[in-house]
């Protein structure tokens, strides 16, 4: 691992001016520094040459003026249908882009986020028309250097096993993706995807493959290429699907990718060690420009997810912990994105406590989890913390409540290996599952 980060340091000195590496700057938090402070930090202390916003916040756009950092803005999914109207699109550009560019170097207008994933037909059917209207509006405003795109989740493919056979979903390949790719080809804008190996349904079986660690790999017999990590496989799958529709010459950009550092008992792979491995290797791969087996020597414009943790983000606990930088602008961990940082990663969040904890195995069913919960609480342990109002009630999921109860039972029974068996559905871990005010004893 140390050798890898030494290599990153060398590569950064060679490629810092044009790393192609950006970061997603989300602001759903109540503890973040002012945008002007963030802009100066990114300019002077990091190798990020671009940021992607999840809105078009005017205060943030003003903060990045004259920094030389490229900025991408995002239009909310709900605004897509209205922007099919060219008058509305021109008004949007006049209000959100023209007052700031070129002092703020706006590079992309991202129309919506993972629209197909929403399953909202009104957004899906109007995405391409809205992209066309906004492109027209930008050209009419003399801003043709700003490109229009949209980031896509990876639910866009058929379920195939090797990259060369990957195709877009039936029913959306010709009606949705072909027009989008035709737009990108015509406007010379990139097709943007959000590859997240962390969300792969195969993650429990392919963790090392996802983390760039030693593994058996995946052999594609049709191209005779061997894949040693899931990141490359996803990119080449995207390329194969695009090429099958006749658009293999359209550039691919990575709108989001990253790995969470913390979660609860239901997210055992969200650890700082895994985040260091995944993000460190992605940074190395992007900065080096080595490309993929089907796209060698190619540097993909990439936006890491994310700059900060977002403590006000709704949803599961893990959604709050994707950040790489603390609010005080110190690194949560080091993977080569800071100038003059140490070559060896230095985690600044709590390391494993040295204690053992009992949590459910990933494959445990809901029926098994309920049985474990009922059994443990029926043995006299204190289950009040997972009752409504208790410190461990949220997240209100069966897996989280079962994990707390199983660990409490494990503790009261002397922490023997047998007291964490739970009919083969429990496992002992050294990773601290405590979170917020919920403390696992």
């Amino acid at each position: 691992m140390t050798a890898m980060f030494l290599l990153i340091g060398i590569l950064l000195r060679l490629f810092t001016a044009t790393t192609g590496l950006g970061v997603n700057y989300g602001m759903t938090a109540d503890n973040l520094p002012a945008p002007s402070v963030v802009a100066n930090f990114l300019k002077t202390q990091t190798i990020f040459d671009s940021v992607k916003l999840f809105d078009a916040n005017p205060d943030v756009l003003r903060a990045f003026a004259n920094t030389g950092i490229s900025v991408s803005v995002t239009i909310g999914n709900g605004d897509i249908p209205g922007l099919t109207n060219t008058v509305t699109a021109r008004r949007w550009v006049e209000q959100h882009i023209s007052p700031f560019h070129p002092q703020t170097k706006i590079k992309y207008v991202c129309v919506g986020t993972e629209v197909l994933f929403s399953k909202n037909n009104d957004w899906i059917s109007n995405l391409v028309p809205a992209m066309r209207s906004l492109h027209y509006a930008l050209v009419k405003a003399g801003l043709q250097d700003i490109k229009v795109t949209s980031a896509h989740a990876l639910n866009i493919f058929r379920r195939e096993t090797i990259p060369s056979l990957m195709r877009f979903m039936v029913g959306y390949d010709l009606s949705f993706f072909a027009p989008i790719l035709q737009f990108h080809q015509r406007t010379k804008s990139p097709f943007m995807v959000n590859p997240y190996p962390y969300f792969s349904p195969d993650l429990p079986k392919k963790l090392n493959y996802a983390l760039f660690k030693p593994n058996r790999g995946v052999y594609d017999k049709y191209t005779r290429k061997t894949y040693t990590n899931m990141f490359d496989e996803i990119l080449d799958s995207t390329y194969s699907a695009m090429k099958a529709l006749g658009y293999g010459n359209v550039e691919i950009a990575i709108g989001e990718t990253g790995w969470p550092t913390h979660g609860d008992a239901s997210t055992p792979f969200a650890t700082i060690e895994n985040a260091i491995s995944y993000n460190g290797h992605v940074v190395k791969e992007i900065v080096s420009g080595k490309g993929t087996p089907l796209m060698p020597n190619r540097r993909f414009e990439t936006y890491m997810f994310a700059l900060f943790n977002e403590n006000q983000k709704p949803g599961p606990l893990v959604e709050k912990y994707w950040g790489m930088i603390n609010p005080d602008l110190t690194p949560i961990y080091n993977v080569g994105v800071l100038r003059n940082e140490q070559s060896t990663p230095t985690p600044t969040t709590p390391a494993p406590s040295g204690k053992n904890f009992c949590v459910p195995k990933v494959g445990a069913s809901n029926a098994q989890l309920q049985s474990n919960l009922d059994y443990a609480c029926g043995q006299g342990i204190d289950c009040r913390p997972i009752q409504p109002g208790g410190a461990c009630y949220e997240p209100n999921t069966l897996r989280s409540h079962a994990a707390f109860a199983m660990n409490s039972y494990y503790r009261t029974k002397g922490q023997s290996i047998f007291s964490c068996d739970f009919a083969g559905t429990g496992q002992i871990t050294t990773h601290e599952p405590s979170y917020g005010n919920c403390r696992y004893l």
Side-chain angles (χ1 to χ4, degrees):
M1 183 68 77
T2 299
M4 183 188 79
F5 286 93
L6 285 171
L7 176 59
I8 290 176
I10 295 170
L11 291 169
L12 297 185
R13 287 193 291 273
L14 292 173
F15 296 109
T16 293
T18 55
T19 60
L21 191 68
V23 67
N24 284 275
Y25 177 15
M27 302 177 69
T28 312
D30 60 8
N31 59 352
L32 300 183
S36 59
V37 175
V38 174
N40 183 65
F41 167 74
L42 291 175
K43 177 183 178 180
T44 61
Q45 302 297 320
T46 79
I47 66 160
F48 293 125
D49 56 23
S50 53
V51 297
K52 186 159 75 69
L53 310 179
F54 291 95
D55 52 23
N57 187 317
D59 294 331
V60 179
L61 291 175
R62 277 188 287 267
F64 279 90
N66 305 310
T67 61
I69 295 174
S70 298
V71 180
S72 296
V73 300
T74 302
I75 293 171
N77 289 349
D79 294 329
I80 290 172
L83 288 167
T84 60
N85 182 288
T86 55
V87 174
T88 303
R90 293 187 71 172
R91 188 180 303 121
W92 189 92
V93 169
E94 290 171 2
Q95 294 175 351
H96 297 92
I97 303 296
S98 296
F100 307 103
H101 185 82
Q103 291 82 7
T104 298
K105 204 165 103 178
I106 299 174
K107 187 171 187 178
Y108 297 125
V109 173
C110 298
V111 186
T113 301
E114 301 184 341
V115 172
L116 197 60
F117 189 73
S118 73
K119 295 181 169 37
N120 185 308
N121 289 329
D122 198 26
W123 299 347
I124 293 169
S125 62
N126 283 298
L127 178 60
V128 176
M131 292 171 72
R132 290 172 181 154
S133 291
L134 284 159
H135 173 72
Y136 172 81
L138 289 165
V139 171
K140 283 296 183 182
L143 304 173
Q144 54 266 29
D145 56 325
I146 300 175
K147 303 298 182 181
V148 175
T149 186
S150 182
H152 303 277
L154 290 179
N155 65 326
I156 59 179
F157 300 122
R158 305 175 196 177
R159 184 71 170 161
E160 298 290 354
T161 56
I162 54 177
S164 64
L165 296 182
M166 194 61 69
R167 301 293 184 267
F168 291 118
M169 286 193 301
V170 174
Y172 290 100
D173 47 1
L174 299 179
S175 65
F176 184 77
F177 288 107
I180 285 177
L181 291 168
Q182 183 183 53
F183 170 85
H184 288 313
Q185 186 181 68
R186 182 172 61 84
T187 62
K188 296 180 171 56
S189 54
F191 181 67
M192 188 174 281
V193 294
N194 295 343
Y196 278 110
Y198 174 79
F199 290 117
S200 168
D202 299 324
L203 187 61
K205 300 176 183 178
K206 295 185 175 181
L207 184 61
N208 283 356
Y209 186 58
L211 295 174
F212 293 79
K213 291 183 177 181
N215 61 87
R216 295 176 59 187
V218 172
Y219 179 68
D220 189 330
K221 63 182 181 180
Y222 298 103
T223 59
R224 298 184 180 180
K225 305 290 186 184
T226 297
Y227 291 84
T228 59
N229 64 82
M230 197 178 292
F231 181 75
D232 284 352
E233 180 186 337
I234 292 171
L235 290 181
D236 277 357
S237 295
T238 303
Y239 170 75
S240 295
M242 294 166 63
K243 186 178 179 182
L245 291 179
Y247 297 99
N249 60 337
V250 171
E251 287 294 320
I252 297 171
I254 298 168
E256 298 176 24
T257 194
W259 199 283
T261 57
H262 188 61
D264 54 32
S266 66
T267 54
F269 304 124
T271 68
I272 195 167
E273 294 81 9
N274 289 348
I276 288 172
S277 182
Y278 178 76
N279 287 338
H281 281 88
V282 169
V283 169
K284 171 188 171 184
E285 181 160 319
I286 298 306
V287 171
S288 71
K290 82 175 187 64
T292 67
L294 292 184
M295 296 177 285
N297 304 313
R298 187 162 164 180
R299 182 174 294 134
F300 301 94
E301 186 174 3
T302 300
Y303 295 85
M304 302 300 296
F305 190 87
L307 184 57
F308 297 115
N309 289 331
E310 297 178 78
N311 65 1
Q312 299 296 301
K313 207 166 187 180
L317 185 72
V318 71
E319 289 296 322
K320 305 177 192 292
Y321 291 97
W322 291 77
M324 305 171 75
I325 304 295
N326 287 305
D328 64 1
L329 303 181
T330 58
I332 296 174
Y333 52 88
N334 293 344
V335 289
V337 299
L338 297 181
R339 301 177 191 268
N340 305 317
E341 72 181 358
Q342 298 295 318
S343 59
T344 303
T346 54
T348 55
T349 55
S353 62
K355 295 180 181 179
N356 289 331
F357 302 88
C358 178
V359 296
K361 289 182 178 178
V362 174
S365 68
N366 284 343
Q368 291 169 323
L369 292 173
Q370 186 66 58
S371 176
N372 295 348
L373 176 63
D374 294 342
Y375 176 79
C377 290
Q379 297 301 305
I381 65 169
D382 184 6
C383 286
R384 287 176 296 178
I386 54 176
Q387 299 301 313
C392 302
Y393 179 69
E394 295 292 346
N396 182 20
T397 66
L398 180 57
R399 178 170 289 273
S400 181
H401 291 178
F404 180 87
M406 290 166 66
N407 184 70
S408 297
Y409 177 84
Y410 170 67
R411 282 273 182 268
T412 62
K413 298 300 180 181
Q415 303 180 61
S416 73
I417 189 172
F418 304 105
S419 60
C420 187
D421 182 67
F422 290 96
T425 64
Q427 63 182 353
I428 295 172
T429 178
T430 58
H431 179 65
E432 171 72 68
S434 299
Y435 56 93
N437 294 322
C438 177
R439 311 308 301 172
Y440 278 57
L441 302 176

